[in-house]
Amino acid sequence: MKPAPYVLTFGETMALMRADQVGPLPHASTMSLGIGGSESNVAIGLQRLGVQAVWCGRTGSDALGELVGREIRAEGVDVRIAVDPSAPTGLMIKERRTPATQRVSYYRAGSAGSRIASTDIDEQLIAGAGLLHVSGITPALSPQAEATLRYAVDAARIHGVPVSFDLNFRSNLWSAEEAGGIYRNIIPLADIVFAGDDEAAIAVGAGEPEELARRIAALGPSEAVIKLGADGALALINGALFRQEAITVDAIDTVGAGDAFVAGYLAEYISGRGPQDRLSTAAATGAFACLVPGDWEGFPRRHELPILQTREPVSR
Ligand SMILES: O=C(O)C(=O)C[C@H](O)[C@H](O)COP(=O)(O)O
């Protein structure tokens, strides 16, 4: 029997400090320490849904790097870290300025993770994967990180491994103009593209969600998935359009919902399930992520997926 396919991903994961109380950060008396990074969030989400994930990254030779490795490994992800003694592990800080709004600051310029190199991702690991997932954050980190993304995507294509690409625009890292050019270079190399409607507009110009998906698909990908937050999502798959409503929850922190959505979608994709299953699991995983303050801690395990539909407040 062939082994179950794994999803390979790579990128920068940082230590994450989050103010425990609502209010201005200079007045936060206590902070919680964890980790966060788009691709490792996706890897954890996949792993919780029963799909083997492999995450490659680079950290400093420091305590925060140790934390990053330990947390991701503890989730069962196969972690391949290159330790870089000449740069620190990056840091991300979340301020909860109002109960409903988060502000994220990055301390990652020159970080070890931003120096990720092609030598950190074994070509054989790419060749053996069922899917390669990359994010548009990586090329924003440094020219070397951008070259690494190109190397990995090219290797995946040479070996016939499908590529998933989440645009993941971060305005703190680069301008929409810079990002748009890179997105348009990478999209044609991907099989599945994820984008919020605002992110898709950076790549292909403003338009209605369906039109955005069509413009992305016209560049080459067979699946264009537009994430619409509280308005759900739509996917254009081999020319057919599928829509998904969002699951309404009392959100306390939406950061991480996009990554959770991608993990849910890809978990069903790699397991051979159809478009509607991919989208409905994605909507559920995205909703779960909004219920807890951390980026990924609230991501569901497969047996928990139906909980959001239950009316029973206690199970025993
Ligand atoms: O790696 C980065 O640069 C990050 O920004 C980590 C983010 O906390 C997640 O990627 C969450 O992103 P969403 O799921 O879209 O809310």
Side-chain angles (χ1 to χ4, degrees):
M1 212 172 79
K2 268 176 69 178
Y6 60 86
V7 175
L8 174 65
T9 189
F10 65 89
E12 177 171 33
T13 293
M14 298 157 283
L16 193 165
M17 287 179 73
R18 153 174 73 72
D20 291 331
Q21 302 86 16
V22 173
L25 195 61
H27 297 281
S29 51
T30 59
M31 310 270 297
S32 297
L33 180 62
I35 64 148
S38 181
E39 303 83 358
S40 63
N41 292 348
V42 171
I44 290 169
L46 285 163
Q47 200 71 44
R48 288 197 178 177
L49 292 170
V51 173
Q52 181 63 54
V54 182
W55 175 80
C56 304
R58 193 181 267 236
T59 66
S61 169
D62 48 26
L64 298 183
E66 229 174 273
L67 174 69
V68 165
R70 200 191 61 200
E71 287 287 282
I72 307 172
R73 262 187 211 106
E75 292 291 324
V77 175
D78 181 347
V79 172
R80 315 286 176 104
I81 288 181
V83 175
D84 185 338
S86 56
T89 301
L91 174 67
M92 173 176 152
I93 295 186
K94 264 188 191 176
E95 175 188 50
R96 215 168 150 208
R97 189 63 188 83
T98 74
T101 54
Q102 305 278 340
R103 191 162 63 185
V104 174
S105 313
Y106 296 128
Y107 297 79
R108 68 198 301 187
S111 65
S114 71
R115 297 179 177 196
I116 191 161
S118 53
T119 46
D120 299 342
I121 307 157
D122 183 356
E123 188 172 343
Q124 285 316 307
L125 206 51
I126 301 174
L131 178 85
L132 172 73
H133 172 69
V134 299
S135 129
I137 295 170
T138 303
L141 298 176
S142 70
Q144 178 162 310
E146 183 192 339
T148 303
L149 185 127
R150 287 308 199 91
Y151 146 79
V153 169
D154 287 345
R157 288 175 65 81
I158 288 167
H159 293 288
V161 175
V163 174
S164 150
F165 175 44
D166 185 352
L167 267 52
N168 256 336
F169 180 61
R170 299 286 180 265
S171 62
N172 287 349
L173 299 179
W174 58 355
S175 68
E177 206 173 36
E178 287 171 298
I182 302 279
Y183 293 161
R184 285 188 293 278
N185 288 336
I186 300 170
I187 288 171
L189 307 175
D191 298 277
I192 309 173
V193 169
F194 296 96
D197 49 351
D198 48 344
E199 295 170 329
I202 292 172
V204 294
E208 289 301 310
E210 188 180 328
E211 180 56 27
L212 294 170
R214 291 198 188 283
R215 284 188 214 150
I216 288 174
L219 296 174
S222 53
E223 308 199 12
V225 185
I226 308 292
K227 301 183 265 186
L228 300 168
D231 292 327
L234 68 81
L236 187 68
I237 302 178
N238 297 318
L241 195 65
F242 300 86
R243 289 181 194 276
Q244 175 66 47
E245 280 185 12
I247 298 172
T248 311
V249 290
D250 290 326
I252 60 162
D253 178 359
T254 60
V255 181
D259 295 335
F261 180 98
V262 168
Y265 190 96
L266 294 180
E268 304 301 32
Y269 170 90
I270 198 100
S271 311
R273 297 194 178 91
Q276 219 63 68
D277 283 344
R278 296 176 207 167
L279 284 168
S280 65
T281 300
T285 48
F288 267 100
C290 298
L291 295 170
V292 295
D295 262 29
W296 53 269
E297 287 84 342
F299 289 10
R301 291 173 173 83
R302 190 165 280 284
H303 69 89
E304 295 174 316
L305 287 173
I307 298 178
L308 290 176
Q309 323 285 357
T310 344
R311 301 211 167 270
E312 231 20 84
V314 182
S315 71
R316 52 185 148 208

